[in-house]
Amino acid sequence: DASAIVFHLPSLPPDLIIRNGPKKKDGQVWVAWYMECESNYPYLSDPVFISRFDLRMSYRLDSDIVVPYVLKGMEELLKGSVADKYPGNIANAFISSPYNKSGRLEYLMRIMSVMDVHSYGKLLRNRIIDNDDGYRFKMDTIARYKFTFAFENAIARDYVTEKFYEPLVAGSVPVYLGAPNISDFAPGDNCFIDASEWESPESLARYLLELARDEELYSGYFDWKKKPLLRKFRRLLEIQEVDPYIRLCMKVGELLESKGR
């Protein structure tokens, strides 16, 4: 009897919607909601499947309701000070999800053959974790390293997750592997290192080692904190000023009105 139904698609078998699912009530609004990459759920890119829905709510910038991985009030967090790095702490990684459409595990292993990487995630772990209190431990740990490998589990346009923003907030330089349009999501110029610009993981690793030894060059990656945030990023913050579910309700209301309901 609902006027609108929101389907969290990654948690639903596609057959439930395509063949054996509920019938859409006349005039009812169906909303496709997901924050996972289509590469991991191919049916999300199937035009026949997605045509069953009236609205899309996702990380994609072309969604009807855009929900970027940018938190309301993040500007203050991003402008925080940069903590001193521990001696010998060059780079860290936190990878726990088995999803690997980006090839990040193989990429990181090749980097680890050239430089020392302290890996704390469930995968490729080489560091013992004591007193792990979750998010706080992760952020405190990242803050102690010069670089953080921010590798997405898939490579797709607009798919920029918390993996990119956590090191920026903690005061570490993200080494990013993921969305080809990552610059659209960066808060400032020269605030991260794009792995796609290097011909190989090994050449990237050698650059990181060189950069770690040059304090003046390294500190340049934090100059953006003293400047206004980039316009594209400010737009993402503005979007999140209104809660996504409020925006969803507003969009559903507009659609119902256009349907004469």
mmCIF file with all atom_site columns, all heavy atoms in Angstrom, residues 221-244:
data_model
loop_
_atom_site.group_PDB
_atom_site.id
_atom_site.type_symbol
_atom_site.label_atom_id
_atom_site.label_alt_id
_atom_site.label_comp_id
_atom_site.label_asym_id
_atom_site.label_entity_id
_atom_site.label_seq_id
_atom_site.pdbx_PDB_ins_code
_atom_site.Cartn_x
_atom_site.Cartn_y
_atom_site.Cartn_z
_atom_site.occupancy
_atom_site.B_iso_or_equiv
_atom_site.pdbx_formal_charge
_atom_site.auth_seq_id
_atom_site.auth_comp_id
_atom_site.auth_asym_id
_atom_site.auth_atom_id
_atom_site.pdbx_PDB_model_num
ATOM 1   N N   . TYR A 1 221 ? 52.491 18.340 0.008   1.00 0.00 ? 221 TYR A N   1
ATOM 2   C CA  . TYR A 1 221 ? 51.215 17.635 -0.153  1.00 0.00 ? 221 TYR A CA  1
ATOM 3   C C   . TYR A 1 221 ? 50.174 18.051 0.885   1.00 0.00 ? 221 TYR A C   1
ATOM 4   O O   . TYR A 1 221 ? 49.049 17.538 0.870   1.00 0.00 ? 221 TYR A O   1
ATOM 5   C CB  . TYR A 1 221 ? 51.439 16.118 -0.095  1.00 0.00 ? 221 TYR A CB  1
ATOM 6   C CG  . TYR A 1 221 ? 51.942 15.538 -1.398  1.00 0.00 ? 221 TYR A CG  1
ATOM 7   C CD1 . TYR A 1 221 ? 53.299 15.445 -1.668  1.00 0.00 ? 221 TYR A CD1 1
ATOM 8   C CD2 . TYR A 1 221 ? 51.045 15.114 -2.381  1.00 0.00 ? 221 TYR A CD2 1
ATOM 9   C CE1 . TYR A 1 221 ? 53.764 14.926 -2.871  1.00 0.00 ? 221 TYR A CE1 1
ATOM 10  C CE2 . TYR A 1 221 ? 51.490 14.594 -3.583  1.00 0.00 ? 221 TYR A CE2 1
ATOM 11  C CZ  . TYR A 1 221 ? 52.847 14.505 -3.824  1.00 0.00 ? 221 TYR A CZ  1
ATOM 12  O OH  . TYR A 1 221 ? 53.302 14.001 -5.025  1.00 0.00 ? 221 TYR A OH  1
ATOM 13  N N   . PHE A 1 222 ? 50.559 18.971 1.769   1.00 0.00 ? 222 PHE A N   1
ATOM 14  C CA  . PHE A 1 222 ? 49.608 19.472 2.760   1.00 0.00 ? 222 PHE A CA  1
ATOM 15  C C   . PHE A 1 222 ? 49.348 20.972 2.614   1.00 0.00 ? 222 PHE A C   1
ATOM 16  O O   . PHE A 1 222 ? 48.619 21.553 3.421   1.00 0.00 ? 222 PHE A O   1
ATOM 17  C CB  . PHE A 1 222 ? 50.116 19.170 4.173   1.00 0.00 ? 222 PHE A CB  1
ATOM 18  C CG  . PHE A 1 222 ? 50.239 17.699 4.459   1.00 0.00 ? 222 PHE A CG  1
ATOM 19  C CD1 . PHE A 1 222 ? 51.481 17.081 4.434   1.00 0.00 ? 222 PHE A CD1 1
ATOM 20  C CD2 . PHE A 1 222 ? 49.120 16.934 4.712   1.00 0.00 ? 222 PHE A CD2 1
ATOM 21  C CE1 . PHE A 1 222 ? 51.608 15.717 4.679   1.00 0.00 ? 222 PHE A CE1 1
ATOM 22  C CE2 . PHE A 1 222 ? 49.229 15.573 4.961   1.00 0.00 ? 222 PHE A CE2 1
ATOM 23  C CZ  . PHE A 1 222 ? 50.482 14.966 4.943   1.00 0.00 ? 222 PHE A CZ  1
ATOM 24  N N   . ASP A 1 223 ? 49.905 21.581 1.591   1.00 0.00 ? 223 ASP A N   1
ATOM 25  C CA  . ASP A 1 223 ? 49.680 23.014 1.377   1.00 0.00 ? 223 ASP A CA  1
ATOM 26  C C   . ASP A 1 223 ? 48.205 23.320 1.151   1.00 0.00 ? 223 ASP A C   1
ATOM 27  O O   . ASP A 1 223 ? 47.731 24.424 1.462   1.00 0.00 ? 223 ASP A O   1
ATOM 28  C CB  . ASP A 1 223 ? 50.508 23.508 0.187   1.00 0.00 ? 223 ASP A CB  1
ATOM 29  C CG  . ASP A 1 223 ? 52.001 23.580 0.493   1.00 0.00 ? 223 ASP A CG  1
ATOM 30  O OD1 . ASP A 1 223 ? 52.360 23.527 1.685   1.00 0.00 ? 223 ASP A OD1 1
ATOM 31  O OD2 . ASP A 1 223 ? 52.793 23.684 -0.454  1.00 0.00 ? 223 ASP A OD2 1
ATOM 32  N N   . TRP A 1 224 ? 47.468 22.372 0.589   1.00 0.00 ? 224 TRP A N   1
ATOM 33  C CA  . TRP A 1 224 ? 46.049 22.580 0.296   1.00 0.00 ? 224 TRP A CA  1
ATOM 34  C C   . TRP A 1 224 ? 45.232 22.877 1.554   1.00 0.00 ? 224 TRP A C   1
ATOM 35  O O   . TRP A 1 224 ? 44.176 23.531 1.473   1.00 0.00 ? 224 TRP A O   1
ATOM 36  C CB  . TRP A 1 224 ? 45.473 21.353 -0.409  1.00 0.00 ? 224 TRP A CB  1
ATOM 37  C CG  . TRP A 1 224 ? 45.477 20.114 0.439   1.00 0.00 ? 224 TRP A CG  1
ATOM 38  C CD1 . TRP A 1 224 ? 46.497 19.224 0.590   1.00 0.00 ? 224 TRP A CD1 1
ATOM 39  C CD2 . TRP A 1 224 ? 44.411 19.633 1.267   1.00 0.00 ? 224 TRP A CD2 1
ATOM 40  N NE1 . TRP A 1 224 ? 46.145 18.211 1.457   1.00 0.00 ? 224 TRP A NE1 1
ATOM 41  C CE2 . TRP A 1 224 ? 44.861 18.436 1.879   1.00 0.00 ? 224 TRP A CE2 1
ATOM 42  C CE3 . TRP A 1 224 ? 43.127 20.086 1.548   1.00 0.00 ? 224 TRP A CE3 1
ATOM 43  C CZ2 . TRP A 1 224 ? 44.069 17.708 2.759   1.00 0.00 ? 224 TRP A CZ2 1
ATOM 44  C CZ3 . TRP A 1 224 ? 42.328 19.353 2.415   1.00 0.00 ? 224 TRP A CZ3 1
ATOM 45  C CH2 . TRP A 1 224 ? 42.803 18.184 3.008   1.00 0.00 ? 224 TRP A CH2 1
ATOM 46  N N   . LYS A 1 225 ? 45.704 22.410 2.710   1.00 0.00 ? 225 LYS A N   1
ATOM 47  C CA  . LYS A 1 225 ? 44.959 22.626 3.947   1.00 0.00 ? 225 LYS A CA  1
ATOM 48  C C   . LYS A 1 225 ? 44.875 24.110 4.329   1.00 0.00 ? 225 LYS A C   1
ATOM 49  O O   . LYS A 1 225 ? 43.987 24.514 5.091   1.00 0.00 ? 225 LYS A O   1
ATOM 50  C CB  . LYS A 1 225 ? 45.603 21.836 5.099   1.00 0.00 ? 225 LYS A CB  1
ATOM 51  C CG  . LYS A 1 225 ? 45.349 20.331 5.048   1.00 0.00 ? 225 LYS A CG  1
ATOM 52  C CD  . LYS A 1 225 ? 46.036 19.639 6.207   1.00 0.00 ? 225 LYS A CD  1
ATOM 53  C CE  . LYS A 1 225 ? 45.646 18.160 6.292   1.00 0.00 ? 225 LYS A CE  1
ATOM 54  N NZ  . LYS A 1 225 ? 44.301 17.974 6.860   1.00 0.00 ? 225 LYS A NZ  1
ATOM 55  N N   . LYS A 1 226 ? 45.801 24.914 3.796   1.00 0.00 ? 226 LYS A N   1
ATOM 56  C CA  . LYS A 1 226 ? 45.826 26.339 4.116   1.00 0.00 ? 226 LYS A CA  1
ATOM 57  C C   . LYS A 1 226 ? 45.047 27.173 3.105   1.00 0.00 ? 226 LYS A C   1
ATOM 58  O O   . LYS A 1 226 ? 44.996 28.397 3.218   1.00 0.00 ? 226 LYS A O   1
ATOM 59  C CB  . LYS A 1 226 ? 47.271 26.830 4.162   1.00 0.00 ? 226 LYS A CB  1
ATOM 60  C CG  . LYS A 1 226 ? 48.183 26.005 5.063   1.00 0.00 ? 226 LYS A CG  1
ATOM 61  C CD  . LYS A 1 226 ? 49.642 26.340 4.817   1.00 0.00 ? 226 LYS A CD  1
ATOM 62  C CE  . LYS A 1 226 ? 50.568 25.369 5.532   1.00 0.00 ? 226 LYS A CE  1
ATOM 63  N NZ  . LYS A 1 226 ? 52.000 25.606 5.183   1.00 0.00 ? 226 LYS A NZ  1
ATOM 64  N N   . LYS A 1 227 ? 44.444 26.519 2.123   1.00 0.00 ? 227 LYS A N   1
ATOM 65  C CA  . LYS A 1 227 ? 43.745 27.217 1.052   1.00 0.00 ? 227 LYS A CA  1
ATOM 66  C C   . LYS A 1 227 ? 42.260 26.854 1.051   1.00 0.00 ? 227 LYS A C   1
ATOM 67  O O   . LYS A 1 227 ? 41.869 25.852 1.668   1.00 0.00 ? 227 LYS A O   1
ATOM 68  C CB  . LYS A 1 227 ? 44.373 26.849 -0.299  1.00 0.00 ? 227 LYS A CB  1
ATOM 69  C CG  . LYS A 1 227 ? 45.866 27.154 -0.397  1.00 0.00 ? 227 LYS A CG  1
ATOM 70  C CD  . LYS A 1 227 ? 46.435 26.643 -1.710  1.00 0.00 ? 227 LYS A CD  1
ATOM 71  C CE  . LYS A 1 227 ? 47.936 26.868 -1.791  1.00 0.00 ? 227 LYS A CE  1
ATOM 72  N NZ  . LYS A 1 227 ? 48.516 26.315 -3.044  1.00 0.00 ? 227 LYS A NZ  1
ATOM 73  N N   . PRO A 1 228 ? 41.426 27.640 0.360   1.00 0.00 ? 228 PRO A N   1
ATOM 74  C CA  . PRO A 1 228 ? 40.004 27.282 0.250   1.00 0.00 ? 228 PRO A CA  1
ATOM 75  C C   . PRO A 1 228 ? 39.843 25.934 -0.456  1.00 0.00 ? 228 PRO A C   1
ATOM 76  O O   . PRO A 1 228 ? 40.632 25.575 -1.330  1.00 0.00 ? 228 PRO A O   1
ATOM 77  C CB  . PRO A 1 228 ? 39.418 28.423 -0.586  1.00 0.00 ? 228 PRO A CB  1
ATOM 78  C CG  . PRO A 1 228 ? 40.375 29.556 -0.417  1.00 0.00 ? 228 PRO A CG  1
ATOM 79  C CD  . PRO A 1 228 ? 41.727 28.941 -0.279  1.00 0.00 ? 228 PRO A CD  1
ATOM 80  N N   . LEU A 1 229 ? 38.825 25.203 -0.071  1.00 0.00 ? 229 LEU A N   1
ATOM 81  C CA  . LEU A 1 229 ? 38.548 23.923 -0.708  1.00 0.00 ? 229 LEU A CA  1
ATOM 82  C C   . LEU A 1 229 ? 38.141 24.135 -2.166  1.00 0.00 ? 229 LEU A C   1
ATOM 83  O O   . LEU A 1 229 ? 37.548 25.160 -2.513  1.00 0.00 ? 229 LEU A O   1
ATOM 84  C CB  . LEU A 1 229 ? 37.436 23.191 0.035   1.00 0.00 ? 229 LEU A CB  1
ATOM 85  C CG  . LEU A 1 229 ? 37.729 22.828 1.493   1.00 0.00 ? 229 LEU A CG  1
ATOM 86  C CD1 . LEU A 1 229 ? 36.512 22.179 2.138   1.00 0.00 ? 229 LEU A CD1 1
ATOM 87  C CD2 . LEU A 1 229 ? 38.927 21.896 1.583   1.00 0.00 ? 229 LEU A CD2 1
ATOM 88  N N   . LEU A 1 230 ? 38.438 23.175 -2.999  1.00 0.00 ? 230 LEU A N   1
ATOM 89  C CA  . LEU A 1 230 ? 38.107 23.270 -4.416  1.00 0.00 ? 230 LEU A CA  1
ATOM 90  C C   . LEU A 1 230 ? 36.592 23.329 -4.616  1.00 0.00 ? 230 LEU A C   1
ATOM 91  O O   . LEU A 1 230 ? 35.820 22.743 -3.848  1.00 0.00 ? 230 LEU A O   1
ATOM 92  C CB  . LEU A 1 230 ? 38.689 22.072 -5.174  1.00 0.00 ? 230 LEU A CB  1
ATOM 93  C CG  . LEU A 1 230 ? 40.216 21.976 -5.207  1.00 0.00 ? 230 LEU A CG  1
ATOM 94  C CD1 . LEU A 1 230 ? 40.651 20.721 -5.954  1.00 0.00 ? 230 LEU A CD1 1
ATOM 95  C CD2 . LEU A 1 230 ? 40.825 23.215 -5.853  1.00 0.00 ? 230 LEU A CD2 1
ATOM 96  N N   . ARG A 1 231 ? 36.182 24.011 -5.674  1.00 0.00 ? 231 ARG A N   1
ATOM 97  C CA  . ARG A 1 231 ? 34.755 24.250 -5.911  1.00 0.00 ? 231 ARG A CA  1
ATOM 98  C C   . ARG A 1 231 ? 33.973 22.948 -6.078  1.00 0.00 ? 231 ARG A C   1
ATOM 99  O O   . ARG A 1 231 ? 32.867 22.809 -5.550  1.00 0.00 ? 231 ARG A O   1
ATOM 100 C CB  . ARG A 1 231 ? 34.571 25.128 -7.152  1.00 0.00 ? 231 ARG A CB  1
ATOM 101 C CG  . ARG A 1 231 ? 33.120 25.509 -7.427  1.00 0.00 ? 231 ARG A CG  1
ATOM 102 C CD  . ARG A 1 231 ? 33.017 26.535 -8.518  1.00 0.00 ? 231 ARG A CD  1
ATOM 103 N NE  . ARG A 1 231 ? 33.574 26.027 -9.768  1.00 0.00 ? 231 ARG A NE  1
ATOM 104 C CZ  . ARG A 1 231 ? 33.627 26.726 -10.908 1.00 0.00 ? 231 ARG A CZ  1
ATOM 105 N NH1 . ARG A 1 231 ? 33.186 27.986 -10.914 1.00 0.00 ? 231 ARG A NH1 1
ATOM 106 N NH2 . ARG A 1 231 ? 34.138 26.205 -11.986 1.00 0.00 ? 231 ARG A NH2 1
ATOM 107 N N   . LYS A 1 232 ? 34.540 21.975 -6.806  1.00 0.00 ? 232 LYS A N   1
ATOM 108 C CA  . LYS A 1 232 ? 33.827 20.713 -7.014  1.00 0.00 ? 232 LYS A CA  1
ATOM 109 C C   . LYS A 1 232 ? 33.597 19.989 -5.694  1.00 0.00 ? 232 LYS A C   1
ATOM 110 O O   . LYS A 1 232 ? 32.539 19.381 -5.480  1.00 0.00 ? 232 LYS A O   1
ATOM 111 C CB  . LYS A 1 232 ? 34.605 19.818 -7.977  1.00 0.00 ? 232 LYS A CB  1
ATOM 112 C CG  . LYS A 1 232 ? 34.553 20.263 -9.425  1.00 0.00 ? 232 LYS A CG  1
ATOM 113 C CD  . LYS A 1 232 ? 35.285 19.283 -10.325 1.00 0.00 ? 232 LYS A CD  1
ATOM 114 C CE  . LYS A 1 232 ? 35.203 19.713 -11.777 1.00 0.00 ? 232 LYS A CE  1
ATOM 115 N NZ  . LYS A 1 232 ? 35.918 18.764 -12.680 1.00 0.00 ? 232 LYS A NZ  1
ATOM 116 N N   . PHE A 1 233 ? 34.581 20.075 -4.804  1.00 0.00 ? 233 PHE A N   1
ATOM 117 C CA  . PHE A 1 233 ? 34.416 19.416 -3.513  1.00 0.00 ? 233 PHE A CA  1
ATOM 118 C C   . PHE A 1 233 ? 33.414 20.157 -2.644  1.00 0.00 ? 233 PHE A C   1
ATOM 119 O O   . PHE A 1 233 ? 32.617 19.535 -1.923  1.00 0.00 ? 233 PHE A O   1
ATOM 120 C CB  . PHE A 1 233 ? 35.759 19.314 -2.798  1.00 0.00 ? 233 PHE A CB  1
ATOM 121 C CG  . PHE A 1 233 ? 35.677 18.550 -1.503  1.00 0.00 ? 233 PHE A CG  1
ATOM 122 C CD1 . PHE A 1 233 ? 35.613 17.171 -1.506  1.00 0.00 ? 233 PHE A CD1 1
ATOM 123 C CD2 . PHE A 1 233 ? 35.653 19.219 -0.288  1.00 0.00 ? 233 PHE A CD2 1
ATOM 124 C CE1 . PHE A 1 233 ? 35.520 16.467 -0.320  1.00 0.00 ? 233 PHE A CE1 1
ATOM 125 C CE2 . PHE A 1 233 ? 35.561 18.519 0.901   1.00 0.00 ? 233 PHE A CE2 1
ATOM 126 C CZ  . PHE A 1 233 ? 35.493 17.129 0.882   1.00 0.00 ? 233 PHE A CZ  1
ATOM 127 N N   . ARG A 1 234 ? 33.447 21.487 -2.698  1.00 0.00 ? 234 ARG A N   1
ATOM 128 C CA  . ARG A 1 234 ? 32.462 22.259 -1.931  1.00 0.00 ? 234 ARG A CA  1
ATOM 129 C C   . ARG A 1 234 ? 31.046 21.913 -2.362  1.00 0.00 ? 234 ARG A C   1
ATOM 130 O O   . ARG A 1 234 ? 30.121 21.888 -1.550  1.00 0.00 ? 234 ARG A O   1
ATOM 131 C CB  . ARG A 1 234 ? 32.712 23.767 -2.104  1.00 0.00 ? 234 ARG A CB  1
ATOM 132 C CG  . ARG A 1 234 ? 33.974 24.272 -1.439  1.00 0.00 ? 234 ARG A CG  1
ATOM 133 C CD  . ARG A 1 234 ? 33.895 25.768 -1.151  1.00 0.00 ? 234 ARG A CD  1
ATOM 134 N NE  . ARG A 1 234 ? 33.481 26.537 -2.305  1.00 0.00 ? 234 ARG A NE  1
ATOM 135 C CZ  . ARG A 1 234 ? 34.315 27.039 -3.215  1.00 0.00 ? 234 ARG A CZ  1
ATOM 136 N NH1 . ARG A 1 234 ? 35.622 26.832 -3.085  1.00 0.00 ? 234 ARG A NH1 1
ATOM 137 N NH2 . ARG A 1 234 ? 33.867 27.734 -4.234  1.00 0.00 ? 234 ARG A NH2 1
ATOM 138 N N   . ARG A 1 235 ? 30.884 21.616 -3.646  1.00 0.00 ? 235 ARG A N   1
ATOM 139 C CA  . ARG A 1 235 ? 29.563 21.226 -4.149  1.00 0.00 ? 235 ARG A CA  1
ATOM 140 C C   . ARG A 1 235 ? 29.112 19.916 -3.513  1.00 0.00 ? 235 ARG A C   1
ATOM 141 O O   . ARG A 1 235 ? 27.944 19.760 -3.164  1.00 0.00 ? 235 ARG A O   1
ATOM 142 C CB  . ARG A 1 235 ? 29.626 21.099 -5.684  1.00 0.00 ? 235 ARG A CB  1
ATOM 143 C CG  . ARG A 1 235 ? 28.341 20.558 -6.326  1.00 0.00 ? 235 ARG A CG  1
ATOM 144 C CD  . ARG A 1 235 ? 27.136 21.402 -6.002  1.00 0.00 ? 235 ARG A CD  1
ATOM 145 N NE  . ARG A 1 235 ? 25.919 20.838 -6.563  1.00 0.00 ? 235 ARG A NE  1
ATOM 146 C CZ  . ARG A 1 235 ? 24.723 20.981 -6.026  1.00 0.00 ? 235 ARG A CZ  1
ATOM 147 N NH1 . ARG A 1 235 ? 24.569 21.678 -4.902  1.00 0.00 ? 235 ARG A NH1 1
ATOM 148 N NH2 . ARG A 1 235 ? 23.671 20.442 -6.586  1.00 0.00 ? 235 ARG A NH2 1
ATOM 149 N N   . LEU A 1 236 ? 30.029 18.976 -3.316  1.00 0.00 ? 236 LEU A N   1
ATOM 150 C CA  . LEU A 1 236 ? 29.684 17.720 -2.656  1.00 0.00 ? 236 LEU A CA  1
ATOM 151 C C   . LEU A 1 236 ? 29.258 17.965 -1.208  1.00 0.00 ? 236 LEU A C   1
ATOM 152 O O   . LEU A 1 236 ? 28.309 17.349 -0.712  1.00 0.00 ? 236 LEU A O   1
ATOM 153 C CB  . LEU A 1 236 ? 30.879 16.762 -2.689  1.00 0.00 ? 236 LEU A CB  1
ATOM 154 C CG  . LEU A 1 236 ? 31.343 16.294 -4.070  1.00 0.00 ? 236 LEU A CG  1
ATOM 155 C CD1 . LEU A 1 236 ? 32.585 15.422 -3.940  1.00 0.00 ? 236 LEU A CD1 1
ATOM 156 C CD2 . LEU A 1 236 ? 30.242 15.539 -4.802  1.00 0.00 ? 236 LEU A CD2 1
ATOM 157 N N   . LEU A 1 237 ? 29.961 18.869 -0.540  1.00 0.00 ? 237 LEU A N   1
ATOM 158 C CA  . LEU A 1 237 ? 29.587 19.220 0.831   1.00 0.00 ? 237 LEU A CA  1
ATOM 159 C C   . LEU A 1 237 ? 28.203 19.863 0.874   1.00 0.00 ? 237 LEU A C   1
ATOM 160 O O   . LEU A 1 237 ? 27.398 19.585 1.773   1.00 0.00 ? 237 LEU A O   1
ATOM 161 C CB  . LEU A 1 237 ? 30.620 20.175 1.432   1.00 0.00 ? 237 LEU A CB  1
ATOM 162 C CG  . LEU A 1 237 ? 31.991 19.594 1.784   1.00 0.00 ? 237 LEU A CG  1
ATOM 163 C CD1 . LEU A 1 237 ? 32.925 20.705 2.242   1.00 0.00 ? 237 LEU A CD1 1
ATOM 164 C CD2 . LEU A 1 237 ? 31.879 18.521 2.855   1.00 0.00 ? 237 LEU A CD2 1
ATOM 165 N N   . GLU A 1 238 ? 27.934 20.714 -0.102  1.00 0.00 ? 238 GLU A N   1
ATOM 166 C CA  . GLU A 1 238 ? 26.626 21.375 -0.164  1.00 0.00 ? 238 GLU A CA  1
ATOM 167 C C   . GLU A 1 238 ? 25.503 20.364 -0.362  1.00 0.00 ? 238 GLU A C   1
ATOM 168 O O   . GLU A 1 238 ? 24.417 20.496 0.221   1.00 0.00 ? 238 GLU A O   1
ATOM 169 C CB  . GLU A 1 238 ? 26.623 22.409 -1.294  1.00 0.00 ? 238 GLU A CB  1
ATOM 170 C CG  . GLU A 1 238 ? 27.504 23.617 -1.020  1.00 0.00 ? 238 GLU A CG  1
ATOM 171 C CD  . GLU A 1 238 ? 27.713 24.483 -2.249  1.00 0.00 ? 238 GLU A CD  1
ATOM 172 O OE1 . GLU A 1 238 ? 27.136 24.141 -3.316  1.00 0.00 ? 238 GLU A OE1 1
ATOM 173 O OE2 . GLU A 1 238 ? 28.462 25.475 -2.169  1.00 0.00 ? 238 GLU A OE2 1
ATOM 174 N N   . ILE A 1 239 ? 25.753 19.357 -1.187  1.00 0.00 ? 239 ILE A N   1
ATOM 175 C CA  . ILE A 1 239 ? 24.753 18.315 -1.405  1.00 0.00 ? 239 ILE A CA  1
ATOM 176 C C   . ILE A 1 239 ? 24.403 17.639 -0.090  1.00 0.00 ? 239 ILE A C   1
ATOM 177 O O   . ILE A 1 239 ? 23.226 17.392 0.220   1.00 0.00 ? 239 ILE A O   1
ATOM 178 C CB  . ILE A 1 239 ? 25.278 17.264 -2.414  1.00 0.00 ? 239 ILE A CB  1
ATOM 179 C CG1 . ILE A 1 239 ? 25.322 17.856 -3.823  1.00 0.00 ? 239 ILE A CG1 1
ATOM 180 C CG2 . ILE A 1 239 ? 24.399 16.008 -2.409  1.00 0.00 ? 239 ILE A CG2 1
ATOM 181 C CD1 . ILE A 1 239 ? 25.964 16.947 -4.849  1.00 0.00 ? 239 ILE A CD1 1
ATOM 182 N N   . GLN A 1 240 ? 25.404 17.362 0.734   1.00 0.00 ? 240 GLN A N   1
ATOM 183 C CA  . GLN A 1 240 ? 25.190 16.637 1.977   1.00 0.00 ? 240 GLN A CA  1
ATOM 184 C C   . GLN A 1 240 ? 24.645 17.503 3.108   1.00 0.00 ? 240 GLN A C   1
ATOM 185 O O   . GLN A 1 240 ? 24.364 16.992 4.198   1.00 0.00 ? 240 GLN A O   1
ATOM 186 C CB  . GLN A 1 240 ? 26.497 15.976 2.420   1.00 0.00 ? 240 GLN A CB  1
ATOM 187 C CG  . GLN A 1 240 ? 26.953 14.828 1.531   1.00 0.00 ? 240 GLN A CG  1
ATOM 188 C CD  . GLN A 1 240 ? 26.071 13.599 1.658   1.00 0.00 ? 240 GLN A CD  1
ATOM 189 O OE1 . GLN A 1 240 ? 24.864 13.662 1.407   1.00 0.00 ? 240 GLN A OE1 1
ATOM 190 N NE2 . GLN A 1 240 ? 26.665 12.486 2.045   1.00 0.00 ? 240 GLN A NE2 1
ATOM 191 N N   . GLU A 1 241 ? 24.505 18.795 2.857   1.00 0.00 ? 241 GLU A N   1
ATOM 192 C CA  . GLU A 1 241 ? 23.907 19.667 3.872   1.00 0.00 ? 241 GLU A CA  1
ATOM 193 C C   . GLU A 1 241 ? 22.469 19.253 4.170   1.00 0.00 ? 241 GLU A C   1
ATOM 194 O O   . GLU A 1 241 ? 21.963 19.445 5.272   1.00 0.00 ? 241 GLU A O   1
ATOM 195 C CB  . GLU A 1 241 ? 23.953 21.131 3.418   1.00 0.00 ? 241 GLU A CB  1
ATOM 196 C CG  . GLU A 1 241 ? 25.299 21.807 3.619   1.00 0.00 ? 241 GLU A CG  1
ATOM 197 C CD  . GLU A 1 241 ? 25.707 21.884 5.072   1.00 0.00 ? 241 GLU A CD  1
ATOM 198 O OE1 . GLU A 1 241 ? 24.861 22.262 5.907   1.00 0.00 ? 241 GLU A OE1 1
ATOM 199 O OE2 . GLU A 1 241 ? 26.865 21.569 5.386   1.00 0.00 ? 241 GLU A OE2 1
ATOM 200 N N   . VAL A 1 242 ? 21.803 18.704 3.162   1.00 0.00 ? 242 VAL A N   1
ATOM 201 C CA  . VAL A 1 242 ? 20.444 18.189 3.352   1.00 0.00 ? 242 VAL A CA  1
ATOM 202 C C   . VAL A 1 242 ? 20.539 16.670 3.397   1.00 0.00 ? 242 VAL A C   1
ATOM 203 O O   . VAL A 1 242 ? 21.091 16.044 2.488   1.00 0.00 ? 242 VAL A O   1
ATOM 204 C CB  . VAL A 1 242 ? 19.501 18.624 2.205   1.00 0.00 ? 242 VAL A CB  1
ATOM 205 C CG1 . VAL A 1 242 ? 18.099 18.057 2.417   1.00 0.00 ? 242 VAL A CG1 1
ATOM 206 C CG2 . VAL A 1 242 ? 19.450 20.147 2.113   1.00 0.00 ? 242 VAL A CG2 1
ATOM 207 N N   . ASP A 1 243 ? 20.016 16.080 4.462   1.00 0.00 ? 243 ASP A N   1
ATOM 208 C CA  . ASP A 1 243 ? 20.094 14.631 4.635   1.00 0.00 ? 243 ASP A CA  1
ATOM 209 C C   . ASP A 1 243 ? 19.584 13.902 3.390   1.00 0.00 ? 243 ASP A C   1
ATOM 210 O O   . ASP A 1 243 ? 18.566 14.290 2.802   1.00 0.00 ? 243 ASP A O   1
ATOM 211 C CB  . ASP A 1 243 ? 19.239 14.227 5.841   1.00 0.00 ? 243 ASP A CB  1
ATOM 212 C CG  . ASP A 1 243 ? 19.399 12.762 6.178   1.00 0.00 ? 243 ASP A CG  1
ATOM 213 O OD1 . ASP A 1 243 ? 18.715 11.931 5.546   1.00 0.00 ? 243 ASP A OD1 1
ATOM 214 O OD2 . ASP A 1 243 ? 20.215 12.442 7.058   1.00 0.00 ? 243 ASP A OD2 1
ATOM 215 N N   . PRO A 1 244 ? 20.291 12.840 2.958   1.00 0.00 ? 244 PRO A N   1
ATOM 216 C CA  . PRO A 1 244 ? 19.886 12.125 1.745   1.00 0.00 ? 244 PRO A CA  1
ATOM 217 C C   . PRO A 1 244 ? 18.444 11.633 1.771   1.00 0.00 ? 244 PRO A C   1
ATOM 218 O O   . PRO A 1 244 ? 17.769 11.620 0.738   1.00 0.00 ? 244 PRO A O   1
ATOM 219 C CB  . PRO A 1 244 ? 20.870 10.943 1.693   1.00 0.00 ? 244 PRO A CB  1
ATOM 220 C CG  . PRO A 1 244 ? 22.062 11.409 2.445   1.00 0.00 ? 244 PRO A CG  1
ATOM 221 C CD  . PRO A 1 244 ? 21.541 12.304 3.521   1.00 0.00 ? 244 PRO A CD  1
#
